[in-house]
Amino acid sequence: MGELIFEARAARFRYPTAAVDALRDITLEVRLGELVALVGPNGSGKTTLARLLLGVVEPDSGEVLAAGRPAARWDRRGLARLVGVVAQREEPVFPLKVHQAVLLGRYPHLGPLGTPSRDDRAAVESAMQRCDVAHLRDRWVGTLSGGEWQRVRVARALAQAPRALVLDEATASLDVRHEMEVLELVAALVRDEGLAALVVTHHVNLAARFADRIVVMDRGAARAQGAPAEVITREVLERVFGWPVALSQWRDVPQFVPLRKGETEDEDHS
Amino acid sequence: MRRWLPLAAAALAALALGLAVGPAGLTPAQVGSALAGGGDSAAQAIVRELRLPRVLLAFLVGGSLAVTGATLQAVVRNPLADPYLLGLSGGAGLGAVGAIALGIGGAWSVPVAAMVGALLAIALVYRVALVAGGQLDARVLLLAGVVVGAFAASLMGAVMALSPAPEVRNALLWLLGSFDGASWRALSVFGVYALVPLTLLYSMARPLDLLALGEEPARFLGADVERTKRILYLGASALTAAAVSVSGIIGFVGLVIPHAIRIVWGHLHRELLPGAFLLGGTLMVVADAVARTAFAPLELPVGVVTALIGVPVFVWLVRRWAS
Amino acid sequence: MALEAPARRIVSLSPATTELLFALGAGDRVVGRTRWCADPAAVRDVASVGDGLDPNVEIIVSLRPDLVVFYHSAMNDAAIARLGELGIATASVKLDRLTDLARAARLLGALTGRGAAADSLVRELDAGLQEVAAVGAGPSVLILVWDNPPIVIGGASFLSEIVTLAGARNAFGDLDRPSATVSIEAVAARDPDVVLATDGKSEPAWARRPEWRVVGAVAAGRYATVSGTEFSYPSFRAPAAVARLRAALEGRQR
């Protein structure tokens, strides 16, 4: 098994002004070399859990560790060398060229004078190649399409030379092609370079196809955790999402279909 | 390195222009010989005691305003931010008017009072913007700046209406901005003072790059967001306060110059800040030269000239950006 | 606006017109004045209405005047219109130069039925000025009313005229306006012989600033001082003003 990158043990968290816990008794692990998907309805705590693992908020009880140390105790630069984060949306307000944007990913590595070295430039170049944005290097980021900008941000995260990637609904606003491209890229990085990836997403079916393990969140608790085949079941999905579903298979991976009014699960799928 | 040449050349050309023109009508040859120590004593006095410190001060102030403009635009993530949105121009005006109204004499009373007023305004805005949890909220900063500035300006109006000293109205003229009071002493005081915030802001070039992306991305790229915001805001404000006390309120430089550099070089502050400094200084020297020669011996407020130059440049920039 | 009868209750909104009304012998009819009016001494018994520019119409009206005399300025247009609506006669008097005095005197003389006094004042003024007028090229004088930014008195001001009558020359007399914002360099280029202060202080405060040393007269301490309200606005005391200024300029040379 790969090294443990993120770990939560019986973690509990409540936002300061909230009436109920946002996260209850969360125990989970993310290791190098695996892609873990975090799914669940809105408000189930997916993003809060990601922020907890990244040390943005501290648990009220229980432990949350990143690479063996309490997540909230990490210094920001150190954590940035460990984890690259890609969020759903980022609006560029000022003009930046693509290669400048990706260079920002090297900042956690730059010395006190802040001059990028040859190694830094090489890391930027390599990140752009792997994300297939090298040909866009001199374009202004404001002129990129949504998918291209997303890939640039993935390249930026890669330029951090992290051992883990966290994608927080990063593909939610992309079309099919771009979403698949990003997920394929992340899966390749996990497989070929041994990164750990935590993908927070709405798209349960895609999660099932790409993830090694899935965590299904429901009102702050981890309702189910495990391989997709174990976790993507009618009972879990119907309980968590509150909607009748039918299950089918695609190449040994369960896929679910939400039922329309009047449809039942027993009808033939031909 | 080659990219700096045009800017450096423009800066030198502007400085030469600033020295060469003026209401005294000296020829370039006379200016040259006065600089070298020859020529008649009147020309020497004019060139060495008046024009030289004046163009140097204009360059430093213009550069400083451009740097603070760029900094604030990144901190509040708003391309329309300008050093005076912090409310300190109102504070400076109130200080200046207060000093005149109270009849506080002394050659330096107005600049010092303006500085004190500006610093008080900065402290007030900072306090207002510190929401619960000790975080400096950028949107609240902007709003607080506008509100404090308006409050100070209205107090200024009250002082002017109630004060028995008729000279108080002249404070408004001072506020409009001018480098006429430049002297070697003013230049050295400002120069030494400005070195600290300028160096500080330049050393924060990387955090500025990150902060401009947004607070969350900045944090995930390793920036200490709260500390960075605090230092940048205070550094930029302190520098602007000094610029206002030494030369009044001169607009457009802090707003427009950073964009001019960004459109050509992009937004990395290691180049943006020095580039903005050079270009801002250049613009200010040219504006000041125009202000004192266009209608000689009458003198226009420099802020009027920077606006006249700045607005068409801004329009051109926006069109270029949009295309 | 025309009056059927000579004005009996007058509010005067500038020190110059106040003094003028008193000089015409109509001082007992002045029921309101500005806070800046100080001459003659009798005005202190008259109620003050505050500022003369953009004045408080309510206070003026409360004094029940039949004539309100304004200083000619766009800032007073609103107040003039308001008083017009209320049926109160107004007069707008331009008094920037000595040459404006005659017309102002005749206007106010007509409005107060003191036309004869007006004529006599004008004759006295002309005679008095002729008597004190000096001829010949005297020193060039810098009249600076503010230092930061430098504001000088131009040719279209009574102060400039007084300087000329005293046999000197206003260094910025070629500017055809009452005042102008210039630069220290412009002052240095014109190299005035003497700096005139009208506030009675022997050395202006701004002279201590190092950048003003470029002006020869400042570096050498060549100052002349006068004081008195006859140097603040045009008045019939101008001949005395001319004489005092000349004495101050000559006295300096000793």
Side-chain angles (χ1 to χ4, degrees):
Chain A
M1 279 208 297
E3 182 190 328
L4 211 48
I5 287 293
F6 290 118
E7 194 181 338
R9 300 219 169 290
R12 191 177 69 77
F13 175 74
R14 179 189 295 213
Y15 282 105
T17 52
V20 297
D21 287 342
L23 293 172
R24 291 177 283 130
D25 197 29
I26 300 285
T27 296
L28 77 83
E29 294 178 347
V30 178
R31 294 176 179 278
L32 286 183
E34 67 175 356
L35 194 156
V36 175
L38 207 52
V39 303
N42 288 337
S44 56
K46 310 193 292 292
T47 294
T48 306
L49 179 51
R51 298 177 80 210
L52 195 68
L53 292 174
L54 288 166
V56 176
V57 292
E58 276 190 70
D60 295 322
S61 65
E63 281 192 306
V64 175
L65 305 176
R69 287 174 24 197
R73 298 269 170 278
W74 273 88
D75 68 288
R76 301 254 61 96
R77 274 169 58 98
L79 193 62
R81 287 194 291 265
L82 179 71
V83 186
V85 179
V86 185
Q88 176 177 359
R89 228 188 283 281
E90 198 179 292
E91 303 294 344
V93 175
F94 298 105
L96 258 185
K97 297 221 162 141
V98 165
H99 73 265
Q100 291 175 326
V102 179
L103 178 63
L104 295 178
R106 290 305 294 171
Y107 279 19
H109 294 273
L110 295 179
L113 280 180
T115 329
S117 67
R118 193 168 315 160
D119 288 340
D120 293 315
R121 298 202 186 281
V124 167
E125 191 59 39
S126 148
M128 289 199 289
Q129 297 281 359
R130 276 133 85 210
C131 295
D132 191 28
V133 292
H135 61 290
L136 300 170
R137 97 187 57 232
D138 280 317
R139 292 267 302 273
W140 295 104
V141 301
T143 64
L144 299 177
S145 72
E148 289 170 333
W149 174 225
Q150 200 82 337
R151 296 208 309 275
V152 169
R153 290 196 282 122
V154 177
R156 185 176 75 196
L158 284 186
Q160 291 170 250
R163 298 203 286 155
L165 283 177
V166 172
L167 275 73
D168 188 359
E169 308 258 16
T171 55
S173 45
L174 295 182
D175 60 30
V176 166
R177 172 173 145 195
H178 294 119
E179 183 169 29
M180 291 301 288
E181 283 176 347
V182 171
L183 288 173
E184 291 284 7
L185 172 58
V186 173
L189 290 168
V190 170
R191 184 184 61 231
D192 302 334
E193 299 186 26
L195 260 55
L198 179 67
V199 179
V200 178
T201 180
H202 265 322
H203 296 160
V204 179
N205 283 339
L206 277 184
R209 296 185 46 212
F210 280 95
D212 298 306
R213 283 192 303 119
I214 299 188
V215 178
V216 182
M217 300 288 296
D218 178 23
R219 278 165 294 178
R223 181 65 56 198
Q225 282 193 50
E230 297 161 16
V231 163
I232 307 296
T233 66
R234 265 188 64 207
E235 297 145 313
V236 171
L237 292 178
E238 284 183 352
R239 178 137 48 112
V240 169
F241 288 98
W243 195 263
V245 303
L247 278 194
S248 65
Q249 293 272 100
W250 172 264
R251 309 262 158 96
D252 295 330
V253 176
Q255 300 279 276
F256 85 100
V257 178
L259 294 177
R260 287 190 58 179
K261 283 191 156 49
E263 287 177 348
T264 64
E265 201 260 336
D266 298 319
E267 291 195 4
D268 185 39
H269 356 280
S270 49
Chain B
M1 286 301 112
R2 238 168 298 130
R3 53 172 30 174
W4 295 101
L5 283 183
L7 271 186
L12 287 173
L15 288 170
L17 174 74
L19 282 174
V21 302
L26 299 172
T27 68
Q30 286 174 301
V31 172
S33 88
L35 280 173
D40 77 37
S41 64
Q44 261 204 40
I46 288 180
V47 172
R48 296 169 80 151
E49 298 303 314
L50 289 182
R51 282 192 198 171
L52 191 50
R54 182 171 176 150
V55 304
L56 290 176
L57 185 64
F59 192 83
L60 274 186
V61 169
S64 301
L65 288 175
V67 166
T68 59
T71 301
L72 287 170
Q73 284 165 1
V75 170
V76 300
R77 292 230 321 143
N78 188 327
L80 290 180
D82 166 289
Y84 304 118
L85 275 184
L86 297 168
L88 56 85
S89 54
L94 183 56
V97 164
I100 297 176
L102 292 173
I104 300 175
W108 289 79
S109 64
V110 168
V112 168
M115 181 76 173
V116 169
L119 291 176
L120 285 176
I122 291 169
L124 186 56
V125 171
Y126 185 74
R127 193 69 195 78
V128 170
L130 277 182
V131 300
Q135 308 222 331
L136 204 63
D137 186 329
R139 293 158 303 172
V140 180
L141 252 184
L142 270 180
L143 283 176
V146 171
V147 163
V148 167
F151 179 63
S154 57
L155 277 182
M156 193 166 79
V159 169
M160 289 178 55
L162 297 173
S163 162
E167 299 83 28
V168 150
R169 283 180 216 275
N170 293 326
L172 277 185
L173 276 175
W174 173 83
L175 268 184
L176 281 178
S178 162
F179 289 101
D180 189 56
S183 63
W184 285 108
R185 196 195 307 172
L187 176 65
S188 48
V189 167
F190 182 78
V192 167
Y193 174 100
L195 263 184
V196 174
L198 280 174
T199 319
L200 178 69
L201 291 177
Y202 187 64
S203 74
M204 307 278 287
R206 268 186 295 149
L208 265 173
D209 291 338
L210 297 182
L211 206 56
L213 298 173
E215 295 193 15
E216 282 242 319
R219 174 192 280 129
F220 291 132
L221 285 169
D224 184 343
V225 171
E226 285 310 309
R227 184 172 159 269
T228 299
K229 277 193 294 189
R230 224 183 298 260
I231 295 179
L232 288 172
Y233 172 74
L234 291 175
S237 305
L239 185 53
T240 309
V244 170
S245 18
V246 95
S247 59
I249 294 168
I250 304 172
F252 274 96
V253 176
L255 175 65
V256 173
I257 297 291
H259 291 295
I261 301 286
R262 281 190 197 107
I263 284 187
V264 179
W265 287 358
H267 194 235
L268 293 185
H269 288 77
R270 277 177 65 94
E271 292 135 7
L272 175 60
L273 292 182
F277 186 85
L278 281 178
L279 191 58
T282 302
L283 172 65
M284 196 65 100
V285 169
V286 170
D288 178 59
V290 170
R292 61 190 150 88
T293 39
F295 297 101
L298 298 180
E299 181 155 315
L300 287 174
V302 183
V304 167
V305 182
T306 55
L308 286 175
I309 300 179
V311 169
V313 167
F314 194 60
V315 168
W316 177 80
L317 282 178
V318 166
R319 291 174 73 198
R320 201 186 139 161
W321 199 344
S323 66
Chain C
M1 196 171 272
L3 285 175
E4 295 101 24
R8 296 240 57 101
R9 297 180 62 83
I10 310 174
V11 170
S12 167
L13 292 177
S14 81
T17 50
T18 305
E19 185 174 323
L20 185 41
L21 285 166
F22 272 82
L24 285 171
D28 54 334
R29 305 190 222 172
V30 177
V31 298
R33 49 135 180 130
T34 75
R35 72 219 269 237
W36 309 107
C37 298
D39 275 288
V43 300
R44 268 170 249 146
D45 296 330
V46 178
S48 162
V49 301
D51 266 332
L53 280 176
D54 193 24
N56 184 325
V57 173
E58 196 178 303
I59 299 184
I60 294 175
V61 170
S62 75
L63 295 168
R64 293 172 295 116
D66 50 16
L67 173 66
V68 180
V69 181
F70 284 85
Y71 174 77
H72 180 80
S73 159
M75 287 184 70
N76 291 324
D77 287 347
I80 293 177
R82 196 78 195 82
L83 289 168
E85 287 165 24
L86 295 169
I88 299 177
T90 59
S92 194
V93 176
K94 187 165 179 316
L95 256 193
D96 295 322
R97 312 168 84 139
L98 296 178
T99 42
D100 295 332
L101 278 169
R103 197 176 57 235
R106 293 206 175 92
L107 171 65
L108 291 180
L111 287 170
T112 53
R114 302 282 300 166
D119 289 333
S120 131
L121 270 181
V122 170
R123 276 194 306 268
E124 256 179 61
L125 177 67
D126 286 340
L129 287 178
Q130 268 188 10
E131 210 182 290
V132 295
V135 189
S140 72
V141 177
L142 170 72
I143 319 168
L144 199 73
V145 290
W146 190 250
D147 65 301
N148 196 0
I151 303 180
V152 298
I153 294 292
S157 158
F158 71 97
L159 255 186
S160 191
E161 293 170 320
I162 291 181
V163 164
T164 310
L165 286 167
R169 194 169 52 83
N170 178 359
F172 283 91
D174 57 313
L175 297 181
D176 189 24
R177 53 231 309 272
S179 64
T181 312
V182 298
S183 61
I184 303 181
E185 185 180 314
V187 173
R190 294 190 178 213
D191 198 23
D193 296 316
V194 181
V195 177
L196 177 66
T198 55
D199 57 359
K201 300 208 188 100
S202 54
E203 188 190 287
W206 47 262
R208 270 176 266 132
R209 285 168 47 197
E211 54 272 24
W212 279 100
R213 309 237 141 236
V214 179
V215 176
V218 174
R222 295 196 294 264
Y223 307 113
T225 301
V226 289
S227 64
T229 55
E230 60 268 36
F231 295 99
S232 307
Y233 51 80
S235 73
F236 286 91
R237 292 177 283 148
V242 171
R244 301 228 328 264
L245 177 56
R246 191 162 76 217
L249 288 175
E250 284 166 4
R252 241 214 66 260
Q253 268 144 10
R254 270 182 232 129

